[in-house]
Amino acid sequence: RVRRQRQMCIRDRSVIKSLILAFSMYSRIPVPHVWLEEKDMKYTFGFFPLVGVVIGALFSGWLIFARKFCIGTITSMCVSGVFLLLITGGIHIDGYMDTMDAVHSYGNREKKLEILKDSHIGAFAVIMLVTYVLAAAGAFSYIFENKNTDIFIIMGCVFYLSRISSAFAAVNFKSARNGGMLNSVVRSVSGNVVNIMILLNYIICIAIMTYVNAFAAALCLIVQAAVLVYYRIWSYKIFGGVTGDLAGWFLCMSELCCMIVLVFV
């Protein structure tokens, strides 16, 4: 009985530490500082979608607040962009830019993987980031000017949904290389348990989105699935698998595609 109690206590500590690690690695949301070991990473991707819950709730709250107090579209958009960069730390944008540099190098696979590890940015990273921001700004203006605030809640759920898909890909897709932060976390993941956690988050996300606006939810789910399938095929073909930078690219693209499709709602 004592041994069983000790095992439960250790498991509980690992769960709490995995939750803290998910927020500390993939956001700038304040969390307690704890001493972490490799075994404490095994549930990290199971808790990663919760980062999206917090981001989405704050983002939706800001849009509703801005609409209620008649804050202009451009101001609301700029504040939203700054808010997202501050709360995420820009880690996913960094991955997106590194990926764009690698893809537009037109080198072989080894060359592209080397560019992903390079901390410097090239011209194509800047060009594609500007393109991304312009596309997101155009979609945001339509969404914000919509009189139906249900779309604001759906947009908040997109941050939740994209991180569910990202966690699924990280755990189940082949890694492009042995090193890197993503691979180090995945090696410690408890696969079956994390996949169950991801599935539960997916069901909860679908339920919330469907309750708010079934049509918008269906469009976002279809687009998210399409981007995930494309991500799998594209990353395997060009890079031989996924990396942390590619995961950042996927997160950015899935959120942008959902924003664009919400324009048609």
Side-chain angles (χ1 to χ4, degrees), residues 11 60 64 68 81-82 87 94 99 131 135 159 231 261:
R11 191 179 300 115
S60 297
I64 294 171
K68 183 177 180 179
V82 172
I87 200 169
D94 176 69
T99 301
T131 304
F159 294 101
Y231 173 52
V261 80

Side-chain angles (χ1 to χ4, degrees), residues 63-139:
L63 294 185
I64 294 171
F65 174 86
R67 167 58 62 81
K68 183 177 180 179
F69 291 95
C70 300
I71 298 175
T73 301
I74 295 178
T75 302
S76 300
M77 179 177 62
C78 292
V79 171
S80 298
V82 172
F83 159 75
L84 290 175
L85 286 174
L86 290 177
I87 200 169
T88 63
I91 184 172
H92 311 302
I93 292 294
D94 176 69
Y96 171 85
M97 295 180 72
D98 286 342
T99 301
M100 290 297 94
D101 265 341
V103 169
H104 290 93
S105 70
Y106 301 105
N108 56 29
R109 180 176 294 175
E110 289 71 23
K111 176 67 174 179
K112 289 183 173 69
L113 290 173
E114 283 297 320
I115 292 174
L116 287 180
K117 293 191 295 183
D118 191 349
S119 59
H120 299 88
I121 62 170
F124 280 105
V126 177
I127 292 169
M128 296 308 296
L129 178 62
V130 172
T131 304
Y132 181 92
V133 170
L134 290 174

Side-chain angles (χ1 to χ4, degrees), residues 52-62 83 156-157 159:
V53 172
V54 177
I55 294 173
L58 294 173
F59 185 80
S60 297
W62 159 247
F83 159 75
C157 290
F159 294 101

Side-chain angles (χ1 to χ4, degrees), residues 139-169:
F140 179 91
S141 65
Y142 269 91
I143 293 171
F144 185 75
E145 292 171 3
N146 194 307
K147 295 181 180 180
N148 187 359
T149 55
D150 286 352
I151 301 301
F152 297 170
I153 301 175
I154 293 293
M155 188 59 227
C157 290
V158 165
F159 294 101
Y160 184 23
L161 180 62
S162 64
R163 281 158 179 78
I164 293 171
S165 299
S166 182
F168 174 82

